[in-house]
Structures are given as structure tokens and as C-alpha cells.
């Protein structure tokens, strides 16, 4: 069976060598006589795996020592509640920038929980075709934190740089861009990310939190959502999603072996440039996102004709280019080209786009 | 590499045919050209998997139509908070029976969240060597629910039958006995279970909830913990732990193919009898649990000498009988003999126990 090019926004492609390694040791891991899926999370074999995963991620992202790394469950959506519940008591209020659907959900979740939260910037009126410009003076000086979504999967936008907001902790959802390029972790108070785009199968949520931010949790909140409890128990307050963490470890290892995040970024820049350069060179397809906010991971485009868009996704799928249909709330097309998407996949997509444009002239 | 007999309390053994099937289709699933790990949770291929998983579980457990089946994340520990947050508003108060560590944690979590909860029965003073007898008159008539842990993994106890408490919804943690034998689901308001003992790798939590109990959720609770939200979205309010659900599906399939839960129970009864009959036939080892409360899944025993216990676990491990050390809070030995443990594993354990007793006479 030939493998396809899978442009899904998440869950999404995993590196083939990672899948092959996982398959080869699925039934018996090393000398353990059992699958990683069967290991007690308290066993030396498994402890080596989770410790390696953390050490590799720390190396990959150059995570400072005063940050805790947590391997959790529940997805970024669970963090939409955990963020205010863990941090609001710093000052009693918090600010949000809304640059798309998920940052909007994060804001609404904090409102639902009854907190004093303010949306300080949004690009909703522009249909989220760019991210807001955020400056320090926009954030309330007594905000417990500012929450942003760094890369917006659905719209295909990303902040061109980390907003500078002084001493106010920046809390950022990096689900769709984590480990795609180096980031300066020290500029964030908290980074969180669902793993199912760039790191592992679905079912793992990464939280990277500065230690001084572990002390503001609500008393009446679910223990399982308390970062401090998880930090104090090495992500093992209860049984962690062991196998998914093992898969993440294999992915980290794959990137480290190729040279780390600088090399990863180079590859991602090259892939994205191939697609954006083509989009900019013609007028059959339109890329709706403003150039200043373009995502390197999720590239959106439309033909301007909903029927043609539909035909495009359908024919691309038949050609082995899967999941190019845009998010149901937006329409059009979206190519998610995460770390595991090879350059050849983007080449195949651009070739298909050219053919499709030629074979389907607009009226 | 020979596979060992893994007596871990969880994560624990998975059926070898399931692991082999998973390994064989890990890189490419059917005609999809991708791994299940890479599939969009909204794709037809994946929807077939999760729908099959639910249909198979419904068949296996004979789940009535007025119950929802939810595939969630966060482990049973997350449900310790979710249970009161989803149900307390039925009446404003709830009752708990504490028969071990996890039911104690569930009770404490509800207290921590500030709810009016009452422990109506506990066997703590007997070191949890049996489960309490629960009758209807012990439960407050206006309790929103009664919470029990049906099988206590750490102590090796189980309720001999489902407590009869009339119209008050019974909420039960079945993490360590689910799908080990038939249960009458209609006797429960809510069943929940971490998957990592009898169903799948860690990272999946099953909730089976009667529909009329979906309408009492707190307003100010994390959306991700709301059963109603998850039920209305077919467990896909956000990305579910897709691959772990797929593994659960393979396990359900394995049991259905062998004839369902009646057959599974027969096998489990036979395995447990082999071990308990041996324990009852000699006096080198002592089984601390009262016969009325013995678990079929977790069998605890001690030599009465902590050093000998330590030596036992260590030598057993060298003989390929892994993870027999009792829980760190209890000591002694514990053999978890879930569905996937073959009869031959228990035979090997009993043979080892006999040899060990002969070779290590007590002073």
C-alpha cells in the first residue's frame, strides 16, 4: 500500500521512520518482553521513556530550567479552562487576544467560568485574515496574563513575532506550530499545545509553565487541571497517556537526529515558500491571509468558486493528496504542512494545483 | 524476544493478537494510505472506527439505548471532579462509600470542590480488607447520587453484587473490572473507567451515562468535563484520543470473537480460582482480603515477612513474572489478572509460588 500525502490539520502526518520504528517494537519493546502500551507507568522501563521524552524536548526547545514540562491529557480545549483556573488569582483579571476560532473559545471558556476577562484585540471584523498587532499598552497592567493563540490553524495565520508585553505573563496556545521552528521560551509564561499536529497522535497535551506561575491555582478546581499538582508528580499524579508520550519521544528523537529546530525550520520555510510563491505568482487561486500574518504550517487558499473548491478537494483526494478541504467554518482549501510533510508532498500539491487550474478554466 | 507474563495493575497486558494486529496496520491502515494515528478525527475512515468501537462496546455490555457512551481523556481521576460537577445539582448533596484509595480520592475531590458530600460507609478501620455492605437505608434519600468504586485495584476487593439503592443514581468507578464479566448497566446511573487495565493503553476514559443525568451540570465548570457537551458531540467536542479508541475497538473485537462477556467471565473465574484455591490450600502465603469481597481481577497476598515479599517479587521478575510487587501504599504482592492474562500465566505464577515457598522456608 502506498502512503498518501495527508494535509490534515490534525491529527496529521507523522514521520514515516517514526511510524516504522513504533510498528517494529509495538509487540515487544527492547528487552522488556512487553509493549510500551502494557508497561506500568511506574516501571523503570517506562520512566526512562518519559524522562527521555522530557529531556529531548528540553534540548529541542532550549527550555530554561525554571520552566516545568507537563505531559497531560484533554487537549488544548481543557487548557482553555485550566489557564484561568491556574492563573487568575495572580491579580483577579485576565486579557485575551482573539485571532480565530480557538482563541475565541479560550476567551469564552474563561467568561463561562465567571472570570473578569477582557478581549483586548481581535481581527474578527476582517474575518481573521491577519493577527492583531499587540503592544504592551493594550494590555491591562494588572492583568494576570495575556492569552494568545500563536498560530491559527483554521485561518492559516500566525503572529510574526512574540508580542512584547513586559512583565505580564504571556500564555500561548502553540498547538499548530510547536517544534516547527525555534521559539524563545523565556518570552512566555505558559506555552501549551495539543500534540496531534506536530508531535504525536491525539491524546497528549503539552504544558510548559514558568515555575513562579504554579502558585495561583483556584482552590475549588479539578485537581487534574492543576499544573502544580502535575508538576509535583512529574506528570504522574495519575496514569499519563504513556504510549502517546512514547510516540512524542520518537518524534523528538527524529528531529534531534536531523539537527534540531533550526534545521526543521529551514525545511518548513522551504516547503511554505514553495506553496506561497506559487500562490503569489498566479491569479487562479487566492490566498486570503495577509502576507504579514501568514502561517508556515497551515496554508489557506480559495478559487473564489465554492463548486470549484469542492471539485479541487475531491480530485486532489483521488490523486493521493488528502484532506485539503478547508475547515467547515471557513470553506476553501487548507494545506497543513507540518514537520512530517515531506517537501515532495508540497511539490505534488503545487503540480496538482497547476493541472487543476489548467483543466478547470473559470468562466 | 519472548513475551513475559505481566501482572501489572495498569497499564497492563493487552491481548497478543490485538498487539499483533495493531503492529501490522500501524503504518498503513487498510486502503487509507495512512496510520490510524494520522487520521483526521472527522474523516470517514476514522468515524467508522469510533462508531464501530461504540457499537461493539454496546453489544458487549448490552448497554441500554437510554445510556450515552463517551470516549474521554483524563483518567478516572478527572471523573472524580466531573461526577459531582455534572450531578450535584440534582439535589445539592451526594453520598460516597469509601472502600479503598481511589474511592477515598473521589470523595476528597468532591469535598475539595466545596460540595455537601457524606461518606456513608467505609472499611478503612479494617484496612480495606473487604467492601462495606450497602443498603438503601444508609443512603440519604435526597442524595444526588451514591458513588462507589466497584473493584478496588490496590486492595484486591470487589463488591459481590451491585448495591441496591432504589431510585438514587449509582455512580461507579469500574476501571479495574470493566468488561471482565457481564454487568447489568441498567442498575447504574453512571459507569466510568480508565481504559488502561482491561480495555486499551492509558489515555482513554470511558463514561456510560443515563441520558436523564445529563441535565444537572454546574454552569461554571470546565466545558471539557461536561458529559452533556461530549454526548451532544459524539465524544468529538475536541479531538478525541483517536488511536487509543482504535486500540479499545480491537480489544472489544477480540472479546466478541471469543464469544462475549459470558465467555470472558468463565475464563476469568477459572484463572482467579486457580490462584485463590492455591492460596486457600496452604499457609505460607496469606490472602488478606475477606472471601466475601475477593476481586477476580486483582489478587493480593503476603508472606508475612516484608523481606521475603521483596525477594519474591524480585525472583519472580527474573523468572518472567513481572510487576507482582503490591502497591507502594500496601506492600506484599498483587497479581493483576485482567482479561488479557492467559491461564498459562496464572499457572506459571502458582508453580513459582510453590517453588518459592519450598526454597525459602520461614524461620
Amino acid at each position: 500500500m502506498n502512503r498518501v500525502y495527508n494535509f490534515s490539520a490534525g491529527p496529521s502526518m507523522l514521520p514515516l521512520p517514526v511510524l516504522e520504528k513504533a510498528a517494529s517494537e509495538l509487540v515487544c519493546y527492547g528487552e522488556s518482553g512487553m509493549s510500551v502500551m502494557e508497561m506500568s507507568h511506574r516501571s523503570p522501563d517506562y520512566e526512562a521513556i518519559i524522562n527521555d521524552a522530557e529531556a529531548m524536548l528540553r534540548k529541542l526547545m532550549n527550555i530554561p530550567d525554571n520552566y516545568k514540562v507537563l505531559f497531560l491529557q484533554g487537549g488544548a480545549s481543557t487548557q482553555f479552562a485550566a489557564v484561568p483556573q491556574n492563573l487568575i488569582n495572580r491579580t483577579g483579571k485576565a486579557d485575551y487576544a482573539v485571532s480565530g476560532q480557538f482563541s475565541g473559545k479560550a476567551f469564552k471558556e474563561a467568561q463561562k467560568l465567571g472570570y473578569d476577562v477582557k478581549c483586548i484585540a481581535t481581527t474578527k471584523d476582517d474575518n481573521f485574515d491577519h493577527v492583531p498587532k499587540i503592544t504592551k499598552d493594550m494590555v491591562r497592567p494588572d492583568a494576570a496574563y495575556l492569552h494568545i493563540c500563536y498560530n491559527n490553524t483554521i485561518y492559516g495565520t500566525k503572529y510574526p513575532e512574540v508580542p512584547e508585553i513586559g512583565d505580564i505573563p504571556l500564555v500561548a496556545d502553540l498547538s499548530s506550530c510547536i517544534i516547527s521552528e525555534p521559539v524563545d521560551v523565556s518570552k512566555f509564561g505558559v506555552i501549551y499545545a495539543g500534540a496531534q499536529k506536530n508531535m504525536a497522535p491525539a491524546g497528549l497535551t503539552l504544558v510548559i509553565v514558568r515555575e513562579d506561575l504554579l502558585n495561583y491555582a483556584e482552590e475549588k478546581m479539578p485537581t487534574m487541571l492543576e499544573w502544580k499538582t502535575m508538576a509535583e508528580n512529574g506528570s504522574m499524579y495519575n496514569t499519563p497517556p504513556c504510549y502517546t508520550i512514547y510516540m512524542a519521544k520518537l518524534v523528538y528523537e527524529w528531529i534531534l537526529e536531523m539537527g534540531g529546530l533550526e534545521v526543521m525550520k529551514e525545511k518548513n520555510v522551504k516547503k511554505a515558500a514553495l506553496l506561497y510563491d506559487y500562490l503569489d505568482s498566479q491569479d487562479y487561486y487566492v490566498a486570503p491571509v495577509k502576507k504579514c500574518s501568514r502561517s508556515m504550517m497551515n496554508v489557506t487558499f480559495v478559487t473564489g468558486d465554492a463548486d470549484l473548491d469542492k471539485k479541487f478537494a475531491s480530485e486532489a483526494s483521488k490523486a493521493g493528496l488528502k484532506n485539503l478541504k478547508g475547515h467547515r467554518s471557513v470553506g476553501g482549501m487548507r494545506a497543513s504542512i507540518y514537520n512530517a510533510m515531506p517537501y515532495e508532498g508540497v511539490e505534488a500539491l503545487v503540480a496538482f494545483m497547476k493541472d487543476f487550474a489548467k483543466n478547470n478554466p473559470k468562466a
Side-chain angles (χ1 to χ4, degrees), chain A:
Chain A
M1 180 68 202
N2 284 334
R3 279 179 47 90
V4 295
Y5 292 120
N6 178 10
F7 294 91
S8 170
S12 43
M13 280 189 89
L14 287 162
L16 184 57
V18 164
L19 292 173
E20 285 170 342
K21 182 159 193 196
S24 76
E25 60 193 21
L26 191 144
V27 175
C28 267
Y29 177 81
E31 303 296 309
S32 71
M34 63 181 81
S35 174
V36 174
M37 297 182 186
E38 303 175 297
M39 285 180 184
S40 166
H41 54 300
R42 311 267 178 211
S43 65
D45 277 333
Y46 189 72
E47 281 184 355
I49 290 172
I50 192 170
N51 291 342
D52 281 357
E54 180 176 339
M56 287 177 185
L57 184 69
R58 283 187 175 277
K59 188 174 174 190
L60 209 51
M61 293 185 68
N62 196 21
I63 300 173
D65 288 344
N66 64 326
Y67 284 72
K68 293 287 186 188
V69 171
L70 310 179
F71 294 109
L72 307 180
Q73 296 184 60
S77 298
T78 299
Q79 295 306 312
F80 296 167
V83 165
Q85 291 193 318
N86 277 284
L87 293 178
I88 199 87
N89 283 338
R90 224 188 122 251
T91 64
K93 56 182 71 167
D95 288 356
Y96 282 73
V98 173
S99 56
Q101 191 165 310
F102 288 103
S103 49
K105 278 192 170 190
F107 177 59
K108 280 196 197 114
E109 182 76 0
Q111 280 184 315
K112 172 185 189 274
L113 293 169
Y115 295 122
D116 174 0
V117 288
K118 184 183 168 192
C119 173
I120 61 145
T122 181
T123 46
K124 188 164 188 254
D125 290 346
D126 299 309
N127 201 25
F128 299 121
D129 68 356
H130 64 292
V131 298
K133 171 89 187 146
I134 294 171
T135 53
K136 192 183 163 184
D137 58 294
M138 296 162 70
V139 185
R140 291 182 288 183
D142 58 347
Y145 59 88
L146 169 68
H147 179 281
I148 64 165
C149 181
Y150 199 42
N151 184 90
N152 299 283
T153 324
I154 292 176
Y155 298 92
T157 62
K158 180 173 175 283
Y159 285 86
E161 63 260 333
V162 182
E164 297 282 353
I165 53 168
D167 289 341
I168 296 162
L170 181 65
V171 176
D173 179 351
L174 262 69
S175 294
S176 48
C177 61
I178 193 142
I179 63 171
S180 64
E181 64 180 332
V183 290
D184 183 350
V185 174
S186 73
K187 289 191 170 178
F188 299 85
V190 181
I191 288 172
Y192 67 91
Q196 70 273 14
K197 297 166 192 295
N198 245 338
M199 284 198 294
L204 171 64
T205 316
L206 180 70
V207 173
I208 302 169
V209 50
R210 213 173 63 208
E211 278 169 356
D212 62 289
L213 297 175
L214 293 173
N215 302 312
Y216 303 104
E218 292 274 39
E219 197 191 340
K220 293 183 184 177
M221 68 176 281
T223 306
M224 283 292 294
L225 268 57
E226 289 173 6
W227 296 331
K228 187 175 190 175
T229 298
M230 287 300 175
E232 285 173 349
N233 289 278
S235 302
M236 290 211 203
Y237 175 75
N238 74 337
T239 315
C242 301
Y243 192 74
T244 318
I245 294 169
Y246 154 80
M247 288 299 302
K249 190 203 89 149
L250 295 185
V251 170
Y252 302 154
E253 207 161 26
W254 174 73
I255 302 175
L256 284 169
E257 278 168 10
M258 87 174 47
L261 290 189
E262 284 294 352
V263 176
M264 198 74 253
K265 179 182 182 177
E266 234 174 80
K267 289 175 186 282
N268 285 329
V269 165
K270 207 177 141 203
K271 284 186 295 184
L274 181 64
L275 190 44
Y276 282 123
D277 286 350
Y278 169 66
L279 284 168
D280 291 341
S281 72
Q282 50 78 58
D283 56 9
Y284 187 87
Y285 306 98
V286 174
V289 168
K290 287 192 179 158
K291 286 188 182 178
C292 61
S293 295
R294 279 178 170 175
S295 166
M296 190 165 65
M297 295 284 101
N298 313 98
V299 180
T300 49
F301 54 95
V302 296
T303 63
D305 174 333
D307 287 335
L308 265 187
D309 287 351
K310 206 173 161 184
K311 190 177 181 194
F312 181 98
S314 160
E315 291 196 1
S317 180
K318 282 173 202 151
L321 308 171
K322 300 288 179 183
N323 294 312
L324 282 160
K325 199 176 151 209
H327 188 269
R328 58 197 186 285
S329 66
V330 174
M333 275 77 74
R334 173 180 51 181
S336 293
I337 50 176
Y338 299 118
N339 288 350
M341 173 61 68
Y343 186 77
E344 294 72 26
V346 184
E347 282 184 317
L349 171 59
V350 171
F352 177 85
M353 289 169 77
K354 288 177 182 169
D355 284 348
F356 185 86
K358 198 165 61 187
N359 297 334
N360 296 276
K362 292 183 193 168

